[in-house]
């Protein structure tokens, strides 16, 4: 783990909460981490390949009056996730909010998709969420409170040609969310999924202009979503205003999944 930066002086609705956001170095995860910090949570910024970006975010959060610390870990690694959780619990004693956001794409048509690309996407997007929830579950159960938000995708709800691996991982994440929600509900732990649509991040900037135009054409609201659109919904699910909501999938997609 890195060093804790800043001290949250914010009396926001998440004051005193400890939040772990996976894949928070870039994109949607970065926006979620910033939002939770702005509401007063101490944020643990998980990263894998982008330590510098994670550090910059922690510095930004501290400069804005929040509190954050970086924690490197490949979420697809079961043992590394156990170590990450033990380090966090050893230092902070608890995790109140877990956001499983880390995700990758390796798009191809089914007949051209390699076994390696199938496995890697499933390992990060689906097993990664299992790993963090599995290792944190005993602490959530003991606390008798907690919020877990899993970042799925509209591709997991509708399917998407060229994304068999990704859609399977995101649909699997919905099943995982609902099952864990049933297991933890009686202990006051809420587990929900957010399914973003077509959001402007490096993941979608990697697409060709033609593919981006085709993507926007599938959005009834006629525009790509922003990182802030997703972060707002995650903040709602992470706070007390959503205490009676569990096992749900909220599509934040400009109407794509209508
Ligand atoms: P992105 O810009 O490519 O960022 C991906 C993030 O995941 C990075 O912070 C990356 O961290 C992290 N990550 C990747 N592999 C990891 C691993 N093995 N362990 C830990 N962290 C890892 O993607 P994004 O668009 O923000 O997507 C974020 C989430 O939203 C993903 O789950 C994605 O599937 C989902 N989503 C995105 C869209 C969209 O349109 N953008 C739509 C629906 C759903 P490092 O760089 O540090 O490795």
């Amino acid at each position: 783990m890195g060093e804790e930066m800043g001290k949250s002086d914010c009396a926001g609705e998440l004051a005193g909460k400890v939040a772990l956001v996976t894949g928070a170095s870039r994109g949607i995860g970065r926006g979620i981490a910033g939002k939770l910090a702005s509401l007063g949570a101490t944020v643990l910024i998980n990263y894998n390949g982008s330590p510098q970006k994670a550090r910059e975010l922690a510095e930004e959060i501290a400069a804005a009056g929040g509190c954050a610390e970086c924690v490197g870990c490949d979420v697809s690694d079961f043992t590394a996730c156990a170590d990450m959780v033990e380090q966090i619990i050893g230092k902070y004693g608890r995790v109140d909010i877990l956001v499983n956001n880390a995700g990758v794409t390796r798009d191809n048509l089914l007949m051209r998709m390699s076994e390696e690309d199938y496995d890697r996407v499933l390992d990060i997007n689906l097993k990664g969420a299992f790993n963090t929830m599995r290792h944190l579950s005993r602490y959530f159960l003991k606390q008798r409170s907690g919020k877990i938000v899993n970042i799925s995708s509209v591709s997991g709800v509708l399917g998407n040609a060229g994304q068999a691996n990704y859609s399977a991982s995101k649909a699997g994440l919905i099943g995982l969310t609902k099952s864990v929600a049933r297991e933890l509900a009686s202990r006051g732990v809420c587990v929900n999924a957010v399914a973003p649509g077509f959001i402007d991040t490096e993941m979608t900037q990697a697409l060709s202009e033609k593919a981006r135009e085709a993507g926007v054409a599938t959005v009834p609201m006629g525009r790509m979503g922003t990182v802030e659109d997703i972060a707002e919904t995650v903040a709602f699910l992470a706070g007390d205003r959503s205490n009676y909501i569990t096992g749900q999938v909220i599509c934040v997609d400009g109407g794509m999944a209508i």
Side-chain angles (χ1 to χ4, degrees), residues 8 12-13 18 21 32 42 49-50 63-64 76 98 105 112 125 141 159 163 172 187 189 194 208 215 225:
S8 185
E13 65 168 296
V18 176
V21 183
I32 293 169
T42 293
S50 310
S76 69
L98 166 64
T105 49
R112 294 200 200 117
N125 298 7
L141 287 169
Q163 289 198 310
R187 303 290 189 97
V189 181
V194 170
S208 67

Side-chain angles (χ1 to χ4, degrees), residues 22-29 46-51 73-76 101-104 120 124-125 151-154 166 170 196-199 201-204:
T22 71
S25 51
R26 298 185 284 114
I28 292 173
N46 163 257
Y47 63 91
N48 185 37
S50 310
C73 169
D74 177 348
V75 295
S76 69
N101 164 81
V104 294
R120 192 65 187 141
I124 296 173
N125 298 7
I151 307 301
S152 177
S153 168
V154 73
Y166 183 78
K170 296 298 187 179
F198 196 43
I199 312 301
T201 67
E202 284 174 34
M203 186 178 271
T204 45

Side-chain angles (χ1 to χ4, degrees), residues 110-124:
L110 178 66
M111 61 183 292
R112 294 200 200 117
M113 189 172 285
S114 68
E115 183 183 8
E116 191 199 350
D117 282 353
Y118 183 84
D119 287 344
R120 192 65 187 141
V121 168
L122 269 287
D123 281 349
I124 296 173

Side-chain angles (χ1 to χ4, degrees), residues 4-9 37-38 55-68:
E4 192 175 342
M5 291 192 208
K7 186 142 191 59
S8 185
D9 54 9
S38 76
R55 201 182 155 77
E56 284 163 15
L57 174 61
E59 286 167 358
E60 265 174 39
I61 288 173
C67 183

Side-chain angles (χ1 to χ4, degrees), residues 1 4 8 13-24 29-47 57 61 67-71 84-85 88-89 92-101 132 136 140 143 146-149 231 234-235 237-239:
M1 278 174 75
E4 192 175 342
S8 185
E13 65 168 296
L14 301 181
K17 306 275 187 200
V18 176
L20 168 61
V21 183
T22 71
R30 187 181 182 91
I32 293 169
K35 180 75 192 175
L36 299 185
S38 76
L39 294 172
T42 293
V43 178
L44 297 158
I45 301 166
N46 163 257
Y47 63 91
L57 174 61
I61 288 173
C67 183
E69 177 164 351
C70 300
V71 50
M84 172 172 71
V85 165
I88 293 169
I89 296 293
Y92 293 92
R94 60 191 296 118
V95 169
D96 303 285
I97 299 160
L98 166 64
V99 183
N100 283 306
N101 164 81
T132 54
L136 275 168
F140 277 122
Q143 275 166 213
K147 299 282 188 163
I148 300 175
V149 185
V234 173
L237 291 172

